[in-house]
Amino acid sequence: MTTLHAVFDKARAEDRAALVGYLPAGFPTKDGAVAAATAMVEAGCDVIEIGLPYSDPLMDGPTIQDAVHRSLTNGTRIADVLRTVEGVAKSGAATLVMTYWNPIDRYGAERFARDLASAGGVGTITPDLTPEESEPWLAASKDAGIDTVFLVAPSSPDERIARVAACCTGFVYAASLMGVTGARESVSSAAEGLVKRTRANTSLPVCVGLGVGNGAQAAEVAAYADGVIVGSAFIRRLLDAPDEKSGLAAVRELASELARGVRR
């Protein structure tokens, strides 16, 4: 199992940012998600976030919502998410689950953390879990030996950033803008300042997500962040593909472009 610590150490030694790719479990199919994520790793992704499909998303834009809807229609459940993690972890990438809190709470925090670790997962990203309510999950994660990742935003005051960063053990997720996920024409100018303010409050890596969709944008973000997170752009390639083989080729091509970007 590749740890997040090892990923960022390796990227730092190579004088580059880490490349983090996101896909929801069960999309485009249950087996297809593993195949697509594996293709992304083979083409240069260091970390894979596997999304746990949820019917009431808060920060997912239309592209991810479309993919998640298809995943839920495919009957994807938490057991399928864990099987996806297990399959993707075999690729050698550090594999996380990105999930809203409700599914973990209903499944049972200790059980979820334990089962995720058993599947080869190295941690979670919980976008709607606040520091004030995080103690049960922090304890369960620590006991299971998995990392926790929380989000900061451009609107976060420094005191809040410090509090959120204190809950993180893997890296800090810096949302580049106030809004939902999705590739954009340009990355928010607020992202660099947010990374600087976050670094002033933690020694953990800081990764930027929301808005990155091509190699040039990846290079721009990699110039000041420890990691570049890309999700919607990968999903769009799969949504637009006429068949699974074409979809795999498309995500592989994008991952190669982004991997070159983080190395510029």
Side-chain angles (χ1 to χ4, degrees), residues 243-250:
D243 52 57
E244 183 173 333
K245 182 178 179 180
S246 300
L248 291 178

Side-chain angles (χ1 to χ4, degrees), residues 91-132:
S91 71
T95 308
L96 299 155
V97 165
M98 186 166 189
T99 177
Y100 295 103
W101 175 244
N102 184 263
I104 294 179
D105 191 36
R106 292 184 64 183
Y107 191 84
E110 292 181 359
R111 179 187 174 203
F112 188 92
R114 182 178 62 250
D115 289 355
L116 177 57
S118 295
V122 300
T124 59
I125 302 170
T126 47
D128 65 337
L129 184 60
T130 64
E132 292 79 8

Side-chain angles (χ1 to χ4, degrees), residues 18 23-24 30 44 69-70 88 113 119 133 136 143 161 170 185 193 195 198 215 226 228 249 257:
L23 280 181
K30 293 175 184 178
H69 174 73
R70 296 186 188 205
V88 176
E133 299 176 332
D143 288 346
I161 289 175
E185 292 296 322
V195 170
T198 303
D226 300 295
V228 180
E257 177 187 342

Side-chain angles (χ1 to χ4, degrees), residues 1-249:
M1 183 175 69
T2 303
T3 65
L4 289 173
H5 182 78
V7 166
F8 288 106
D9 276 354
K10 182 175 185 290
R12 195 176 299 112
E14 296 174 357
D15 194 28
R16 64 174 178 88
L19 178 59
V20 183
Y22 165 91
L23 280 181
F27 171 80
T29 63
K30 293 175 184 178
D31 290 339
V34 175
T38 300
M40 290 158 58
V41 174
E42 291 171 349
C45 283
D46 303 288
V47 179
I48 296 293
E49 301 173 12
I50 296 299
L52 193 158
Y54 186 52
S55 59
D56 189 24
L58 298 175
M59 65 176 287
D60 295 343
T63 299
I64 292 181
Q65 285 188 34
D66 191 354
V68 166
H69 174 73
R70 296 186 188 205
S71 174
L72 291 171
T73 301
N74 288 339
T76 304
R77 300 291 183 265
I78 288 181
D80 300 305
V81 175
L82 295 171
R83 280 192 289 268
T84 303
V85 168
E86 186 173 22
V88 176
K90 291 177 182 177
S91 71
T95 308
L96 299 155
V97 165
M98 186 166 189
T99 177
Y100 295 103
W101 175 244
N102 184 263
I104 294 179
D105 191 36
R106 292 184 64 183
Y107 191 84
E110 292 181 359
R111 179 187 174 203
F112 188 92
R114 182 178 62 250
D115 289 355
L116 177 57
S118 295
V122 300
T124 59
I125 302 170
T126 47
D128 65 337
L129 184 60
T130 64
E132 292 79 8
E133 299 176 332
S134 67
E135 187 52 43
W137 182 235
L138 296 179
S141 297
K142 183 177 181 180
D143 288 346
I146 61 174
D147 283 317
T148 51
V149 177
F150 290 72
L151 276 70
V152 295
S155 62
S156 302
D158 291 347
E159 181 181 354
R160 188 66 178 177
I161 289 175
R163 191 163 186 179
V164 171
C167 296
C168 299
T169 62
F171 61 87
V172 182
Y173 189 127
S176 67
L177 46 80
M178 301 300 297
V180 296
T181 60
R184 290 168 170 82
E185 292 296 322
S186 62
V187 179
S188 170
S189 59
E192 185 171 3
L194 178 59
V195 170
K196 289 179 180 178
R197 291 196 296 128
T198 303
R199 281 182 173 157
N201 289 283
T202 183
S203 59
L204 289 172
V206 183
C207 300
V208 171
L210 276 65
V212 178
N214 58 51
Q217 291 172 334
E220 177 188 343
V221 173
Y224 58 79
D226 300 295
V228 180
I229 302 170
V230 181
S232 295
F234 283 119
I235 291 171
R236 176 48 56 193
R237 294 291 180 102
L238 291 171
L239 288 170
D240 291 345
D243 52 57
E244 183 173 333
K245 182 178 179 180
S246 300
L248 291 178

